[in-house]
Coordinates of all heavy atoms in Angstrom, one line a residue:
E6 N 145.0 63.5 123.5 CA 143.6 63.0 123.2 C 142.7 64.2 123.3 O 143.0 65.3 123.9 CB 143.2 62.0 124.2 CG 144.0 60.7 124.1 CD 143.5 59.6 125.0 OE1 142.6 59.9 125.9 OE2 144.0 58.5 124.9
R7 N 141.5 64.1 122.7 CA 140.5 65.1 122.8 C 140.0 65.2 124.2 O 139.8 64.2 124.9 CB 139.3 64.8 121.9 CG 139.6 64.9 120.4 CD 138.4 64.7 119.5 NE 138.8 64.5 118.1 CZ 138.0 64.3 117.1 NH1 136.7 64.3 117.4 NH2 138.4 64.2 115.9
A8 N 139.8 66.5 124.6 CA 139.4 66.7 126.0 C 138.1 67.4 126.0 O 137.8 68.3 125.2 CB 140.5 67.6 126.7
F9 N 137.3 67.1 127.0 CA 136.0 67.7 127.2 C 136.1 69.1 127.5 O 136.9 69.6 128.4 CB 135.3 66.9 128.3 CG 134.0 67.6 128.8 CD1 132.8 67.5 128.0 CD2 133.9 68.2 130.0 CE1 131.6 68.0 128.3 CE2 132.7 68.8 130.4 CZ 131.6 68.7 129.6
V10 N 135.2 69.9 126.9 CA 135.2 71.4 127.2 C 133.8 71.7 127.8 O 133.8 72.3 128.8 CB 135.4 72.2 125.9 CG1 135.2 73.7 126.2 CG2 136.8 71.9 125.3
A11 N 132.7 71.4 127.1 CA 131.4 71.8 127.5 C 130.4 70.8 126.9 O 130.6 70.3 125.8 CB 131.1 73.2 127.2
A12 N 129.2 70.7 127.6 CA 128.1 69.9 127.0 C 126.8 70.5 127.4 O 126.7 71.3 128.4 CB 128.2 68.5 127.5
I13 N 125.8 70.3 126.6 CA 124.5 70.8 126.8 C 123.4 69.7 126.6 O 123.6 68.9 125.7 CB 124.2 72.1 126.0 CG1 123.0 72.8 126.4 CG2 124.2 71.7 124.5 CD1 122.9 74.2 125.8
D14 N 122.4 69.7 127.4 CA 121.4 68.6 127.3 C 120.5 68.9 126.2 O 120.6 69.9 125.4 CB 120.7 68.4 128.6 CG 119.7 69.5 129.0 OD1 119.7 70.6 128.3 OD2 118.9 69.3 129.9
L15 N 119.5 68.0 126.0 CA 118.6 68.0 124.9 C 117.8 69.3 124.7 O 117.7 69.8 123.6 CB 117.6 66.8 124.9 CG 118.2 65.4 125.1 CD1 117.1 64.3 125.0 CD2 119.3 65.1 124.0
S16 N 117.4 69.8 125.8 CA 116.5 71.0 125.8 C 117.3 72.3 125.8 O 116.8 73.4 125.6 CB 115.5 71.0 126.9 OG 116.2 71.1 128.2
G17 N 118.6 72.2 126.3 CA 119.3 73.4 126.5 C 119.2 73.9 127.9 O 119.8 75.0 128.2
G18 N 118.5 73.2 128.7 CA 118.3 73.7 130.1 C 119.4 73.4 131.1 O 119.5 74.0 132.1
S19 N 120.3 72.5 130.7 CA 121.4 72.1 131.6 C 122.7 72.1 130.7 O 122.7 71.7 129.6 CB 121.2 70.7 132.2 OG 120.1 70.7 133.1
A20 N 123.8 72.6 131.4 CA 125.1 72.6 130.7 C 126.1 72.4 131.7 O 125.9 72.6 133.0 CB 125.3 74.0 130.0
D21 N 127.3 71.9 131.3 CA 128.4 71.7 132.2 C 129.7 72.0 131.4 O 129.7 71.9 130.2 CB 128.4 70.2 132.6 CG 129.2 70.0 133.9 OD1 129.6 71.0 134.5 OD2 129.5 68.8 134.2
Y22 N 130.7 72.3 132.2 CA 132.0 72.7 131.7 C 133.1 72.1 132.4 O 133.1 71.8 133.6 CB 132.1 74.3 131.8 CG 131.0 75.0 131.2 CD1 129.8 75.3 131.9 CD2 131.0 75.5 129.9 CE1 128.7 76.0 131.3 CE2 130.0 76.1 129.3 CZ 128.8 76.4 130.0 OH 127.8 77.1 129.4
T23 N 134.2 71.9 131.7 CA 135.5 71.6 132.4 C 135.9 72.8 133.2 O 135.6 73.9 132.9 CB 136.5 71.2 131.4 OG1 137.6 70.5 132.1 CG2 137.1 72.3 130.6
N24 N 136.6 72.5 134.3 CA 136.9 73.5 135.3 C 137.7 74.7 134.7 O 137.5 75.9 135.0 CB 137.7 72.9 136.4 CG 136.9 72.1 137.4 OD1 135.7 72.1 137.3 ND2 137.5 71.3 138.2
S25 N 138.6 74.4 133.7 CA 139.5 75.4 133.2 C 138.7 76.5 132.4 O 139.3 77.6 132.1 CB 140.6 74.8 132.4 OG 140.1 74.1 131.3
V26 N 137.5 76.2 131.9 CA 136.8 77.2 131.1 C 135.5 77.7 131.8 O 134.9 78.6 131.3 CB 136.4 76.6 129.7 CG1 137.6 76.0 129.1 CG2 135.2 75.6 129.9
A27 N 135.1 77.1 132.9 CA 133.9 77.5 133.6 C 134.0 79.0 134.0 O 135.1 79.4 134.5 CB 133.7 76.7 134.9
G28 N 133.0 79.7 133.7 CA 132.9 81.1 134.0 C 133.5 82.0 132.8 O 133.3 83.2 132.8
R29 N 134.1 81.4 131.8 CA 134.6 82.1 130.7 C 133.9 81.7 129.4 O 133.7 82.5 128.5 CB 136.1 81.8 130.5 CG 137.0 82.3 131.6 CD 138.5 82.2 131.3 NE 138.9 80.8 131.0 CZ 139.5 80.4 129.9 NH1 139.6 81.3 128.9 NH2 139.8 79.2 129.8
F30 N 133.5 80.4 129.3 CA 132.8 79.8 128.1 C 131.4 79.6 128.4 O 131.0 79.2 129.5 CB 133.5 78.5 127.7 CG 134.9 78.6 127.1 CD1 135.6 79.8 127.2 CD2 135.4 77.5 126.5 CE1 136.9 79.9 126.7 CE2 136.7 77.6 126.0 CZ 137.5 78.7 126.1
T31 N 130.5 79.7 127.4 CA 129.1 79.4 127.5 C 128.7 78.6 126.3 O 128.9 79.1 125.1 CB 128.3 80.7 127.6 OG1 128.7 81.5 128.7 CG2 126.8 80.4 127.8
I32 N 128.1 77.5 126.5 CA 127.5 76.7 125.5 C 126.0 76.9 125.4 O 125.3 77.1 126.4 CB 127.8 75.2 125.7 CG1 127.4 74.3 124.5 CG2 127.2 74.6 127.0 CD1 127.9 72.9 124.6
S33 N 125.5 76.9 124.2 CA 124.1 77.1 124.0 C 123.6 76.4 122.7 O 124.5 76.0 121.9 CB 123.7 78.6 123.8 OG 124.4 79.2 122.7
R34 N 122.4 76.2 122.6 CA 121.8 75.5 121.4 C 120.5 76.1 121.0 O 119.8 76.7 121.8 CB 121.7 74.0 121.7 CG 120.6 73.6 122.7 CD 120.6 72.1 123.0 NE 120.3 71.3 121.8 CZ 120.6 70.0 121.8 NH1 121.2 69.4 122.8 NH2 120.3 69.3 120.7
D35 N 120.2 75.9 119.7 CA 119.0 76.4 119.1 C 118.4 75.2 118.4 O 118.8 74.9 117.2 CB 119.2 77.6 118.2 CG 117.9 78.2 117.7 OD1 116.8 77.4 117.7 OD2 117.8 79.4 117.4
N36 N 117.5 74.5 119.0 CA 116.9 73.3 118.3 C 116.1 73.6 117.1 O 115.9 72.7 116.2 CB 116.1 72.5 119.3 CG 117.0 71.8 120.3 OD1 118.2 71.6 120.1 ND2 116.4 71.3 121.4
A37 N 115.6 74.8 117.0 CA 114.8 75.2 115.8 C 115.7 75.4 114.6 O 115.3 75.2 113.4 CB 114.0 76.4 116.1
K38 N 117.0 75.8 114.9 CA 117.9 76.0 113.8 C 119.0 74.9 113.7 O 119.9 75.0 112.8 CB 118.6 77.4 114.0 CG 117.7 78.6 114.0 CD 118.4 79.9 114.2 CE 117.5 81.1 114.1 NZ 118.2 82.3 114.3
N39 N 118.9 73.9 114.5 CA 119.9 72.8 114.5 C 121.3 73.3 114.7 O 122.2 72.9 113.9 CB 119.8 72.0 113.2 CG 118.6 71.0 113.2 OD1 117.7 71.2 114.1 ND2 118.5 70.2 112.3
T40 N 121.5 74.2 115.6 CA 122.8 74.7 115.9 C 123.2 74.7 117.3 O 122.3 74.7 118.2 CB 122.9 76.2 115.4 OG1 122.0 77.0 116.1 CG2 122.7 76.3 113.9
V41 N 124.5 74.6 117.6 CA 125.1 74.7 118.9 C 126.2 75.6 118.9 O 127.0 75.6 117.9 CB 125.5 73.3 119.5 CG1 126.5 72.6 118.7 CG2 125.9 73.4 121.0
S42 N 126.4 76.4 119.9 CA 127.4 77.5 119.9 C 128.3 77.4 121.1 O 127.8 76.9 122.2 CB 126.8 78.9 119.7 OG 126.1 79.0 118.5
L43 N 129.5 77.9 121.0 CA 130.4 78.0 122.2 C 130.9 79.5 122.2 O 131.7 79.8 121.4 CB 131.5 77.0 122.1 CG 132.4 77.0 123.4 CD1 131.6 76.4 124.6 CD2 133.6 76.1 123.1
Q44 N 130.4 80.3 123.1 CA 130.9 81.6 123.3 C 132.1 81.5 124.2 O 132.0 81.1 125.4 CB 129.9 82.5 123.9 CG 130.3 83.9 124.2 CD 130.7 84.7 122.9 OE1 130.0 84.6 121.9 NE2 131.8 85.4 123.0
M45 N 133.3 82.0 123.8 CA 134.5 81.9 124.5 C 135.0 83.3 124.8 O 135.4 84.0 123.9 CB 135.6 81.1 123.7 CG 135.1 79.7 123.3 SD 136.4 78.8 122.5 CE 136.7 79.7 121.0
N46 N 135.1 83.6 126.1 CA 135.5 85.0 126.5 C 136.8 84.8 127.3 O 137.1 83.8 127.8 CB 134.5 85.6 127.4 CG 133.1 85.9 126.7 OD1 133.1 86.1 125.4 ND2 132.0 85.8 127.4
R47 N 137.5 85.9 127.4 CA 138.8 86.0 128.2 C 139.7 84.8 127.8 O 140.2 84.1 128.7 CB 138.5 86.0 129.7 CG 137.6 87.2 130.1 CD 137.6 87.4 131.6 NE 137.3 86.3 132.4 CZ 136.0 85.8 132.6 NH1 135.0 86.4 132.1 NH2 135.9 84.8 133.4
L48 N 139.9 84.7 126.5 CA 140.7 83.5 126.0 C 142.1 83.6 126.5 O 142.7 84.7 126.7 CB 140.6 83.5 124.5 CG 139.3 82.9 123.9 CD1 139.2 83.3 122.5 CD2 139.3 81.4 124.1
K49 N 142.7 82.4 126.7 CA 144.1 82.3 127.2 C 144.9 81.5 126.2 O 144.3 80.7 125.5 CB 144.1 81.6 128.6 CG 143.2 82.2 129.6 CD 143.2 81.4 130.9 CE 142.4 82.0 132.0 NZ 142.4 81.2 133.3
P50 N 146.2 81.6 126.2 CA 147.0 80.8 125.3 C 146.7 79.3 125.4 O 146.8 78.6 124.4 CB 148.4 81.2 125.6 CG 148.3 82.6 126.1 CD 147.0 82.7 126.9
E51 N 146.5 78.9 126.6 CA 146.2 77.5 126.9 C 144.9 77.0 126.3 O 144.6 75.8 126.3 CB 146.3 77.1 128.3 CG 145.5 78.0 129.3 CD 146.3 79.1 129.9 OE1 147.1 79.7 129.2 OE2 146.1 79.3 131.1
D52 N 144.1 77.9 125.8 CA 142.9 77.5 125.1 C 143.1 77.1 123.6 O 142.2 76.7 122.9 CB 141.8 78.6 125.1 CG 141.3 78.9 126.5 OD1 141.1 77.9 127.3 OD2 141.2 80.1 126.9
T53 N 144.3 77.3 123.2 CA 144.7 77.0 121.8 C 144.5 75.5 121.5 O 145.1 74.7 122.3 CB 146.2 77.4 121.5 OG1 146.3 78.9 121.6 CG2 146.6 77.0 120.1

């Protein structure tokens, strides 16, 4: 099944992550551009 990775609130002021990606991934959003991004660092094979 699909598994939660990260979420960000309406303003972008709060974010949360699943434990396995915390500290490696960063979620962000730009409400002016209608975009959300996920920066993934130090990737591991289990992130496939």
Side-chain angles (χ1 to χ4, degrees):
E6 294 183 351
R7 291 185 194 181
F9 172 73
V10 176
I13 190 165
D14 74 347
L15 305 185
S16 68
S19 295
D21 197 16
Y22 303 88
T23 192
N24 288 344
S25 62
V26 309
R29 298 189 297 122
F30 291 11
T31 302
I32 188 172
S33 60
R34 68 187 296 164
D35 186 335
N36 285 344
K38 296 182 179 180
N39 284 11
T40 59
V41 61
S42 299
L43 185 68
Q44 177 66 42
M45 306 186 294
N46 298 329
R47 304 195 305 279
L48 282 160
K49 303 177 181 181
E51 51 263 44
D52 294 319
T53 295

